[in-house]
Amino acid sequence: VQLQASGGGLVQAGGSLRLSCAASGRTFSGYAVGWFRQVPGKEREFVAGFSRTGGYTYYADSVKGRFAISRDNAKNTVYLQMNSLRPEDTAVYYCAADRGLITSSIGRAESYANWGQGTLVTVSS
């Protein structure tokens, strides 16, 4: 599956952005999907994810209550709605997908075989 992430940009603290991850080549059906972020010099960090069935969602503690992951099966797209953004949310955001992922590995970047190209989110104070 090929992934295309989009929707990043510059926003003031407290603002909102919605990121999109569109799949081509295959649908997301049967894939666990995750959003990760990375800043220079740091490891890629888990943000949010869907289980393979799509029935369960998972969030990093740092974004719980502010971010929401959702999916539109008709558009074969997964979204990350980001509200109440903070300067520390500034990062390149990546979406990833994998068919063989077990639930306990959803938060581990090394478990995903398919990655989008990343979209930059900058939150100004």
Side-chain angles (χ1 to χ4, degrees):
V1 62
Q2 290 79 45
L3 305 177
Q4 178 77 31
S6 61
L10 174 63
V11 63
Q12 288 189 329
S16 298
L17 280 175
R18 189 178 76 161
L19 305 183
S20 300
C21 178
S24 59
R26 285 181 176 269
T27 69
F28 277 124
S29 177
Y31 281 80
V33 180
W35 282 100
F36 291 77
R37 64 188 182 187
Q38 189 170 26
V39 297
K42 291 192 176 182
E43 292 187 355
R44 201 161 289 191
E45 174 191 27
F46 173 75
V47 176
F50 268 116
S51 63
R52 280 189 299 165
T53 64
Y56 296 93
T57 56
Y58 304 88
Y59 296 95
D61 288 342
S62 58
V63 307
K64 278 181 183 176
R66 300 189 298 122
F67 290 12
I69 189 171
S70 63
R71 63 200 298 164
D72 185 332
N73 291 329
K75 295 183 178 179
N76 211 24
T77 300
V78 171
Y79 302 100
L80 183 68
Q81 178 67 43
M82 305 186 296
N83 300 325
S84 301
L85 282 161
R86 305 167 180 170
E88 54 265 37
D89 295 318
T90 295
V92 177
Y93 283 71
Y94 299 88
C95 61
D98 196 279
R99 285 185 66 90
L101 215 57
I102 58 175
T103 300
S104 60
S105 296
I106 283 179
R108 299 174 60 184
E110 63 270 26
S111 299
Y112 291 81
N114 305 284
W115 289 86
Q117 84 287 7
T119 184
L120 176 63
V121 172
T122 303
V123 184
S124 63
S125 57

